[in-house]
Amino acid sequence: MRYRLGFWIGPAPADAEAACAELYTRVRLAEEIWREFDRPPPPVPRIRGFVDAVLGVLPADPAESSPWKHSDVADDAMADTFTPTIRGPHRGAIAILTRLAHDHGLQAFDLAAHRLLDAAEVIEVDGGLWTDAHLGGGADQPEFFDCRGPEIARERLGLPAQDPETAEEGTDAR
């Protein structure tokens, strides 16, 4: 099962819809740059530092014990965003990512639960980090949110509305 998270540089959003719109705007902008220059924009130093810190604690490893869905997780960092996919929900990994994001001054968003991740929800348990925050459902228990975030992002960037029939799986999933 895949579980998507998003991290970015910027001020704290007012609510989940604003966070979703901000994250999607930044990701879509990076994708547009990728299309124009035929390569993804490299992560800015602060994002690169965050990814390096994350991979120092949670190495990208194809082993079943790894929280990462894919071993090329560093490739999920573009410009001022990092949008990794973990096996999940993996509460320990989400707690570590949340703590590190806040340590690096980043915003953290759980796309599956459609909520901002708060460092105050990270607790220490048996020498490790854990979160008991509400997390989103899996493929067998999908959660849908009435959110205009992806649509707002396309409007901000002047992109056409996405046809749900042709939408790539995983993009704009609410």
Side-chain angles (χ1 to χ4, degrees):
M1 177 174 113
R2 68 187 183 104
Y3 199 91
R4 295 182 58 217
L5 302 167
F7 305 92
W8 71 97
I9 299 169
D15 56 28
E17 185 170 88
C20 185
E22 188 62 28
L23 175 60
Y24 271 101
T25 298
R26 291 166 185 270
V27 168
R28 294 288 181 253
L29 182 58
E31 289 172 347
E32 290 301 308
I33 292 168
W34 187 343
R35 279 191 255 292
E36 184 174 339
F37 295 101
D38 201 30
R39 65 180 183 274
V44 298
R46 195 152 134 206
I47 293 292
R48 172 54 50 208
F50 171 61
V51 172
D52 290 346
V54 164
L55 293 176
V57 177
L58 299 169
D61 183 349
E64 196 63 33
S65 61
S66 170
W68 304 112
K69 183 75 172 165
H70 310 286
S71 61
D72 57 353
V73 68
D75 292 345
D76 293 329
M78 290 191 304
D80 61 354
T81 66
F82 178 51
T83 54
T85 304
I86 61 173
R87 302 174 208 264
H90 188 293
R91 289 184 177 276
I94 292 169
I96 291 167
L97 287 159
T98 301
R99 172 76 53 89
L100 286 172
H102 288 278
D103 288 351
H104 283 81
L106 303 178
Q107 301 305 320
F109 191 69
D110 181 333
L111 287 148
H114 199 263
R115 62 187 298 276
L116 286 159
L117 295 170
D118 186 347
E121 297 170 333
V122 175
I123 55 175
E124 290 191 36
V125 176
D126 297 327
L129 297 180
W130 189 258
T131 182
D132 59 359
H134 169 75
L135 301 178
D140 57 337
Q141 297 176 332
E143 296 188 25
F144 297 96
F145 304 96
D146 186 19
C147 173
R148 289 189 58 244
E151 179 184 340
I152 292 167
R154 286 189 299 274
E155 289 171 2
R156 286 178 180 173
L157 298 172
L159 300 173
Q162 186 164 353
D163 178 2
E165 296 295 319
T166 61
E168 176 185 336
E169 191 215 278
T171 59
D172 287 0
R174 293 186 238 184

